Amino acid sequence: MLKKLLHITCLKATYLSSKKEEGKTTFKENVQLKIHHTICDSCKFFAKQTSYIGTNAKHGQQYISASLSQASLHKMKKMLAS
């Protein structure tokens, strides 16, 4: 019964990795994810990639507004909207 409670699929592990990046996992989900990562290198690598992307996206946001002029931002938004 304990094995059934703690064992999760790779699909669930990738979902939990994304959820963890948002800071919304429970203690049980964190334990399930840790156990899964001990047996699955692919999911462990996915979690590292997700964390890397999340961290860099958060840090990169501050440079977008600072380095572009208001005219460039407006032009870019207009191009994306069409």
Side-chain angles (χ1 to χ4, degrees):
M1 182 167 155
L2 186 61
K3 181 180 177 184
K4 192 174 185 178
L5 179 68
L6 296 176
H7 182 72
I8 58 173
T9 64
C10 289
L11 181 64
K12 175 97 183 224
T14 54
Y15 167 74
L16 290 179
S17 291
S18 298
K19 189 176 172 184
K20 185 176 182 179
E21 189 58 34
E22 296 173 9
K24 298 181 179 178
T25 51
T26 64
F27 177 75
K28 176 186 167 189
E29 291 170 333
N30 285 330
V31 171
Q32 289 175 324
L33 198 54
K34 269 200 182 302
I35 290 171
H36 188 80
H37 286 170
T38 62
I39 58 173
C40 185
D41 289 336
S42 297
C43 289
K44 188 176 183 179
F45 184 67
F46 175 83
K48 285 183 182 180
Q49 287 179 323
T50 303
S51 176
Y52 177 79
I53 291 169
T55 300
N56 286 308
K58 290 173 193 167
H59 289 255
Q61 188 69 26
Q62 65 189 358
Y63 298 110
I64 291 173
S65 299
S67 61
L68 293 176
S69 67
Q70 288 299 323
S72 296
L73 283 172
H74 180 69
K75 184 178 178 182
M76 195 179 290
K77 286 178 183 178
K78 190 175 179 181
M79 287 174 61
L80 290 171
S82 50

